[in-house]
Amino acid sequence: MATPLSADKLLKALRDEGLHVVEHRSWRTNNRNHKGPWGPTHGVMIHHTVTSGTSSSVELCYNGHSALPGPLCHGVIAKDGTVHLVGNGRANHAGLGDDDVLRAVIAEKALPPDNEANTDGNRHFYGFECVNLGDGKDPWPAAQLLAIERASAAVCRAHGWSERSVIGHLEWQPGKVDPRGFSMNGMRGRVAKRLGGAPDGPSDPPPRPRYEPFPGSAFFKVGRNSAIVTAMGKRLVAEGCGRYTVGPGPAWSEADRKSYAAWQRKLGYTGGDADGVPGKTSWDRLKVPNV
């Protein structure tokens, strides 16, 4: 049994293992804790995304989709080995799985066949989604496999777990095939070897971008509460486009939409192109400071 790592401790563990880590948007507060418990944690689960492209895969795992809200994992491991943190807390990645498998993970014993789906895995497992089509043909670059090894070892080292605490989704829930394209037994062997030595040491954190990257149009919806919305509003006011009676503040509102529509019209957009929902081109020109 282990208390989940804090955001700072997870970030430090990954970087201490030599990983290049990118903190994506408001990952520290992106979770599903309001839908169920998070912890105690017992292991690390590896998945493939069934997608291609880093940016779109990271956005999908951060936001989720209509049938499965995000975050869909804690970190996305790109083809180049970069780990993009997208969630901190309960995440929609493991689903229901086999209680016998969970008991084996806790005891750090060999895994039994997964033939039941009766136990909440989102509560107990850290999840890493790895960018791969999962068709058995999409390659797994050496840098990506090394990052999977390092990320798994980082969490295990932080909790004092062995490589037996690392499993694939296919070993947890009947019918799942991910990760497809490499052996989880082989990966556990790599993790065991790594845990037998000292971590590689921290990689240099990448410089923070000067401006906030475009979070995607789906980000701007009723119920969104983020410092990004506040920073956007302040820039709209500075550009003479503020339509606020109070604020701006962190909660996306009709005043934000009207203010952004004014910015779009200022840029020359008309009709449906000036509906107040941010698009990448207008967002980049607004130059919202990174938060």
Side-chain angles (χ1 to χ4, degrees), residues 40-99:
T41 49
H42 298 301
V44 179
M45 190 174 295
I46 306 300
H47 308 257
H48 61 228
T49 59
V50 199
T51 62
S52 60
T54 299
S55 179
S56 58
S57 299
V58 170
E59 283 297 327
L60 175 63
C61 289
Y62 184 94
N63 292 315
H65 49 80
S66 59
L68 192 65
L72 305 185
C73 60
H74 298 92
V76 179
I77 301 179
K79 292 280 193 183
D80 66 357
T82 300
V83 177
H84 299 259
L85 290 175
V86 297
N88 174 45
R90 184 182 176 92
N92 274 334
H93 72 98
L96 294 177
D98 195 312
D99 58 343

Side-chain angles (χ1 to χ4, degrees), residues 6 62 109 181:
S6 68
Y62 184 94
K109 296 181 178 179

Side-chain angles (χ1 to χ4, degrees), residues 124-202:
H124 297 301
F125 287 93
Y126 298 90
F128 288 95
E129 286 278 1
C130 309
V131 179
N132 190 279
L133 292 173
D135 59 1
K137 300 176 182 178
D138 193 9
W140 291 90
Q144 188 177 33
L145 291 172
L146 178 58
I148 296 169
E149 171 195 326
R150 282 173 163 169
S152 301
V155 176
C156 289
R157 198 187 300 276
H159 282 298
W161 298 334
S162 80
E163 77 283 359
R164 289 290 183 185
S165 291
V166 181
I167 69 173
H169 200 193
L170 78 171
E171 297 172 309
W172 169 247
Q173 187 179 98
K176 295 297 183 181
V177 300
D178 55 319
R180 186 179 183 188
F182 65 88
S183 160
M184 282 306 303
N185 282 330
M187 181 55 66
R188 279 188 285 269
R190 294 176 59 156
V191 173
K193 183 176 180 181
R194 175 168 291 276
L195 290 173
D200 290 340

Side-chain angles (χ1 to χ4, degrees), residues 261 264-275:
Q264 290 169 324
R265 289 192 295 272
K266 183 176 180 178
L267 295 179
Y269 294 105
T270 60
D273 292 331
D275 59 2

